[in-house]
Amino acid sequence: MVKEIAAENKLLGLQKGQRFYYTIQPIEITNFLGAAVAVLDEYSISDSAGNSYKLYRTKEGNFYYMPEENKGKNKFVLMSLKNGLNPIINDGSF
């Protein structure tokens, strides 16, 4: 079960003029008994063509994606998004 909290829209520019908009929303992952087992940052990302992607970040800074949520998406784009977000997050400029 996932509990959503809040979101704010931001711009991410990648190489070759690629522009993506993303929101960061903390989500709480619970077990079948309803106990919280993790809180992750969910990154909902979209481009101007209407493609959407979802990435999840742990408090340790590791990014993950759920294959079923990104089915048929270009894996290179997902890797580029992870690499593009890391410097922003690590600099604290987001």
Side-chain angles (χ1 to χ4, degrees):
M1 176 178 272
V2 174
K3 180 181 177 184
E4 297 181 6
I5 301 170
E8 180 184 338
N9 209 11
K10 300 178 188 252
L11 174 66
L12 171 65
L14 296 181
Q15 295 178 355
K16 300 180 185 176
Q18 294 175 302
R19 294 169 59 126
F20 293 86
Y21 292 92
Y22 67 98
T23 59
I24 305 169
Q25 186 166 349
I27 59 167
E28 186 177 86
I29 307 296
T30 58
N31 63 17
F32 68 96
L33 296 174
V37 293
V39 175
L40 303 174
D41 287 334
E42 178 185 69
Y43 288 73
S44 297
I45 307 163
S46 60
D47 62 15
S48 59
N51 298 311
S52 62
Y53 306 89
K54 287 211 181 202
L55 295 173
Y56 297 90
R57 184 174 174 264
T58 65
K59 65 180 178 180
E60 293 82 19
N62 300 314
F63 275 104
Y64 297 94
Y65 69 89
M66 305 294 182
E68 60 274 4
E69 290 182 1
N70 293 296
K71 191 172 184 171
K73 305 293 182 184
N74 186 330
K75 303 292 188 260
F76 178 76
V77 173
L78 288 167
M79 183 68 85
S80 296
L81 291 169
K82 289 181 192 180
N83 291 336
L85 287 166
N86 269 327
I88 295 170
I89 294 163
N90 293 335
D91 290 345
S93 60
F94 70 102

